[in-house]
Amino acid sequence: MSRQKASTTPGSSRWARGEGWVAAQLVLFALIVASWFVGPDLSALGLIPATLGVVLGAWALRALGSSMTAMPVPKDDARLVQEGPYRHLRHPIYVAGTLFFGGLSLVFSVYGLVLTAVLALFWIAKARKEERHLGERFPEYADYRRRTPF
């Protein structure tokens, strides 16, 4: 398995390498799921965005292939993926996750919607960090970013 470039830097903080981002993300996932067991149910219609999130996420994972990483730093052997959902969105996995968690929160609990909004804001911050790394790594990223929305 390929190591992240930033992890080879001695003394790098967990946030600089990306482990802190992944850990915080997992905590938010757990809080959202836990919230589904507390609070009023809202609507079964939330299954529609949740299902769209699963489909979009699977499509994005397939397009990424071996370039997939939960870290905000690309793998050493990563390529810049611009096909599949990446032709239309720079961060389809984050969009998919927001649809999935938001949709299921609509089904199970209003509290999950608030936590999903926090997760979406977190992903916006993480995406900014990823984009800095992608811009440094791939010269063509600036053009891709200009023509492709979030």
Side-chain angles (χ1 to χ4, degrees), residues 127-142:
R128 287 183 180 148
K129 181 173 182 61
E130 284 179 20
E131 291 193 344
R132 283 193 299 273
H133 289 289
L134 290 166
E136 292 169 2
R137 176 82 178 279
F138 302 105
E140 65 273 28
Y141 190 77

Side-chain angles (χ1 to χ4, degrees), residues 71-102:
M71 301 294 190
V73 179
K75 292 179 175 181
D76 291 339
D77 62 347
R79 65 182 181 86
L80 180 59
V81 176
Q82 299 180 58
E83 60 270 352
Y86 290 90
R87 184 178 187 146
H88 309 286
L89 294 167
R90 291 192 317 268
H91 302 283
I93 290 179
Y94 296 154
V95 173
T98 303
L99 286 168
F100 174 76
F101 285 114

Side-chain angles (χ1 to χ4, degrees), residues 4 14-30 68-73 94 119 122-123 126 129-130:
Q4 304 296 321
R14 289 198 183 279
W15 281 99
R17 290 191 313 249
E19 289 96 337
W21 287 94
V22 174
Q25 183 174 283
L26 292 174
V27 167
L28 283 168
F29 291 172
M68 172 57 192
T69 179
M71 301 294 190
V73 179
Y94 296 154
L119 177 63
F122 175 83
W123 275 336
K126 186 179 176 194
K129 181 173 182 61
E130 284 179 20

Side-chain angles (χ1 to χ4, degrees), residues 6 8 12-13 18 29 41 43 48 54 59 68 77 87 101 104-106 109 123 126-127 130-131 137:
T8 61
S12 293
S13 76
F29 291 172
D41 294 353
S43 172
I48 295 169
V54 169
W59 187 25
M68 172 57 192
D77 62 347
R87 184 178 187 146
F101 285 114
L104 288 182
S105 293
L106 273 174
S109 173
W123 275 336
K126 186 179 176 194
E130 284 179 20
E131 291 193 344
R137 176 82 178 279

